Structures are given as structure tokens and as C-alpha cells.
Amino acid sequence: MKKSTLANNFIYYLFCGFSGAVIACIVWLFLKLMSLGISFIWETVPSNINFTYYPLAVCTIGGILLGIYQKISKAVPDELEEVMKKVKRDKFYPYNKVLLLCISALIPLLFGGSIGPEAGLTGVIVGLCYWAGNHMKNAQSKIPELMQTGVSATLTAIFYAPLFGLAAANEEQLDTQDKATDIRTGKLISNIVAVLFATGTIFLLNQAFGGSMGLPRIGEYNITNTERLWGIPLALLGTLAGLLFIISEKLLKILFDKIQSSLEIIISTTLGGIILGIFGTYLPLVMFSGEDSINEINNGIGEFAPWILIISGLLKLVITNVCNKSGWKGGHFFPVIFCGVSIGFGVALLMGLDTAFCAAVITAALLGVTMRKPLAVTVLLLLCFDARILPWILLAAFLSSLVVGKVLNKNKHQNK
């Protein structure tokens, strides 16, 4: 009996590893198509056209095309939190429009949307996990575990960050009825196996063909007592920026829900494209997911005025919500990280502080508000920042998560 159990476990973990590798291939192909499409639309075409309002024209066209596609296909990607809520509520996630969802997730990224790819991809992968669970022998009971390994592998492949994939998926528990011992043993092992295979597959594909997104390393450090004294104020500043993100998200949801209920989805996505294009014309940093923009400001920080960096970071928080709520659905991890870095650099230049320290603390606090997963925030930001700032990243992430948790709980009690 024990030998049979061991053999079954080995086969299952091997299947998890194979799933992680397949997921990594899907993610890599999606990101490669995205990169090629963005390069064509935003580099090749503009090099032959001298038109000041090119971003406005392209974003408006993108909004029209996206609205038409969503109206015809009825395929609208869910944001990451929406995917998790549906899984918890329905114990199911539809998989009948996986390919259509891939296209719907790709269009806004190609046309400059201030979003990341993780939301659309996560919905696709979770749907495929349900398909596998429903079509494979003895896999039905493993669906919650398969989904968690799928989410871990997806986030690992997108961010090229195995620890982040593990931390984010385990802090967001998909099956609330599981026992703690189950999480520590079977699920943890399957997650680790899937993440390792996903990491290896992405590495091989990148080496052979190039690709991947990833986050850049940010700078040299000169942390003095002055920076340390500014640690808590910077964390509070990042928390306020995070609250701006949450407030704008709620207000824009109300606005665009009314537009979509009374008018066509095409009107909503087109309006989103026009707003994105107008601000993108004058402040290009508010467009796209943000990882390339981080490199741009990090390598040429002397070329940007402090207020431009601060305004771009704050505005991008709102524009990201404009995109998501108008129908340009996507993730917010990459844009929010850019916003924290941009605001941090701007504040550092104004106050004469270390740029990397300011960026790390403000970004950690901002992500702490939007994600409310301090461990995942810390692991993710170690991709960008040196381990010497680890205590401040932890402090800022926990502090902001605590503050926003109390604010939201207070509002819930008042509403009741």
C-alpha cells in the first residue's frame, strides 16, 4: 500500500512539474508575442510617421478594436482578485474561451495599456487547470491544488521570480477548507516542483530565443542616518499613494459600470483609450506596464525633473484603474512597482536622499496597500533592491498593510 501511495505521489508531482513547464511555455509565448507587437506598433510604425498625437490615435484605435472584440467574443479577462473570488465562490472557473481570453488580454497590452500581463494569464491558466482536472483520471479532487500550482508557476514565469510565485500563491489560499497540514505538505511540495520546472523552462527559452519581462536591479546605495530618519515618513507617503489607488479604483468602477450598463462596451473601452492616449501624449511614462520605464528613469535619472517623476507615478496609479475599469483588463503589479519607483526617485531628488532607499520604501508601502501580502511584496522587491534594504521593505509593507486593513475594516463596520 505504501509503495502504491509513493508511486502515485511521484507520478502526481511529476505531473505538477510537467504542468509548470507547459505553463512557462504558454507565458513565454504570450510575452514574446506581446513584445513583438509592441515593437511593431510603437517603434517600427512611428519611425516612418512624424505625428505628435500618435499615442492618442493608437490608443483610441486600440480602444475601439478592444470593445468590438469583447462585444463579439464575450471574452473579457478577469483581474487576479476577480479570478480568486470566482474560484472561492463557485469552486469553478470557465475554460471554454481560453484562446479568446488570450487575445482579449493581449490587445490592451499591445496598444499601450498601463497594465501588466499577469491578470489575463492567470485566468487562462486557472481555466486550463480546471479543464485538466475535469478531463484527467483521478484529478478532480486535486483541482484546488492544481490551481494553486498553476498560479505559482504563472507568477514565477512572468516575473522570473520563483520565491514570489510561491509566496503570492500561498498567501492567497484558494481552498479555505484545507487543513494547515495539507498546505505545508502536499500543496507546498507540488508548488515547489511546479515552480522549479517553470523557472528552468523559462531560463532555457530565454537563453535560446530571448524574451521575458522581469524587473531591473535598482542602484547604488548610500544609506545614512538621514535616510533612516525618513524611513517611516516615506512608508506613510507610499501608503497614501496606495490609498489613492484604492479610492480611484472604487470611483472609476462606479463611473465605468454606469457607462457599460447604459451604453456599449465599445464606448467604455474607447473612452479608456482616449484618456490613456491624451495623458500618454504628454507624459509617456504613464503608458505600458512599466518595467522598461523603470530602466529608463533608473539609467537616466538626471534627465527627469523631480516633479515629473512624482506626477507621472501618481497619475499612472489612476490611469491603471482607468484601463482596468474601462475594459482594458490586466494586472497592476508592474505598473504599481513603476509608480513607487518613480515617486521614490522624485522625492529623493527633491530631498537630497538616496534614490534606491526612497524607491524601495515607497514601493513596498504602495504594494503593501494594493496587495496586502507583506511576504509576497518583500520577496518580489528583492528582485529590484539590495538585501541591505530588506528590513525597511518589510517594515513598510507590514505597516501599510496594517493601516489599510484597519481603514477598510472601519468602513465595513460603518456601512453595516
Side-chain angles (χ1 to χ4, degrees), residues 37-79:
I38 289 174
S39 178
F40 176 76
I41 294 172
W42 295 97
E43 294 176 14
T44 304
V45 175
S47 66
N48 298 306
I49 298 175
N50 185 16
F51 182 44
T52 303
Y53 299 101
Y54 184 80
L56 175 57
V58 171
C59 292
T60 302
I61 293 169
I64 295 170
L65 291 176
L66 180 62
I68 293 172
Y69 179 82
Q70 290 183 358
K71 181 177 174 61
I72 294 172
S73 68
K74 308 295 183 184
V76 182
D78 288 318
E79 296 173 51

Side-chain angles (χ1 to χ4, degrees), residues 200-347:
T201 303
I202 282 288
F203 175 78
L204 291 174
L205 288 170
N206 288 342
Q207 290 296 311
F209 306 104
S212 185
M213 296 183 71
L215 292 165
R217 296 292 296 179
I218 294 177
E220 301 174 0
Y221 300 87
N222 183 26
I223 303 171
T224 65
N225 287 333
T226 303
E227 277 76 22
R228 295 184 184 99
L229 288 172
W230 272 90
I232 299 299
L234 289 171
L236 293 175
L237 180 59
T239 303
L240 290 175
L243 291 174
L244 169 65
F245 181 87
I246 290 177
I247 292 169
S248 66
E249 181 181 34
K250 293 183 182 300
L251 293 176
L252 288 165
K253 185 179 189 306
I254 295 171
L255 172 63
F256 282 105
D257 279 353
K258 287 183 178 179
I259 293 173
Q260 291 170 17
S261 62
S262 58
L263 300 170
E264 293 283 349
I265 182 65
I266 300 172
I267 302 298
S268 179
T269 55
T270 302
L271 179 59
I274 291 171
I275 294 171
L276 174 66
I278 289 172
F279 287 105
T281 299
Y282 299 101
L283 289 171
L285 291 175
V286 304
M287 299 182 69
F288 304 104
S289 59
E291 78 284 355
D292 289 333
S293 299
I294 293 175
N295 257 329
E296 184 181 344
I297 62 174
N298 187 41
N299 296 332
I301 189 169
E303 300 172 9
F304 296 93
W307 288 110
I308 291 296
L309 293 174
I310 294 171
I311 292 171
S312 294
L314 293 174
L315 182 60
K316 191 176 178 71
L317 290 172
V318 179
I319 294 297
T320 297
N321 285 322
V322 168
C323 289
N324 269 313
K325 302 312 172 188
S326 67
W328 291 53
K329 291 295 186 91
H332 65 261
F333 288 160
F334 280 114
V336 167
I337 291 172
F338 167 81
C339 293
V341 171
S342 186
I343 296 168
F345 278 15
V347 170

Side-chain angles (χ1 to χ4, degrees), residues 30 38 52 82 116 129 132 135 138 148 162 166 214 241 278 312 330-331 356 390 399 412:
F30 183 93
I38 289 174
T52 303
E82 292 173 343
C129 289
H135 288 81
N138 300 325
Q148 200 162 19
L166 288 171
I278 289 172
S312 294
L390 177 63
L399 178 64
K412 284 182 181 178

Side-chain angles (χ1 to χ4, degrees), residues 135-214:
H135 288 81
M136 296 184 66
K137 186 179 179 182
N138 300 325
Q140 185 76 35
S141 62
K142 294 285 189 179
I143 286 180
E145 191 171 328
L146 285 172
M147 286 189 300
Q148 200 162 19
T149 58
V151 172
S152 294
T154 303
L155 295 177
T156 295
I158 292 171
F159 291 91
Y160 203 34
L163 291 178
F164 174 64
L166 288 171
N170 280 283
E171 280 192 284
E172 182 66 66
Q173 195 176 325
L174 293 175
D175 189 347
T176 56
Q177 296 180 342
D178 288 338
K179 297 179 181 178
T181 52
D182 294 332
I183 299 169
R184 294 192 194 103
T185 54
K187 281 191 174 183
L188 183 59
I189 294 172
S190 59
N191 281 357
I192 290 173
V193 172
V195 162
L196 289 176
F197 273 75
T199 304
T201 303
I202 282 288
F203 175 78
L204 291 174
L205 288 170
N206 288 342
Q207 290 296 311
F209 306 104
S212 185
M213 296 183 71

Side-chain angles (χ1 to χ4, degrees), residues 88-102:
K88 287 180 177 180
R89 183 186 68 239
D90 305 330
K91 306 300 179 187
F92 176 75
Y93 195 81
Y95 49 81
N96 58 324
K97 294 184 178 180
V98 167
L99 183 58
L100 296 176
L101 281 173
C102 282

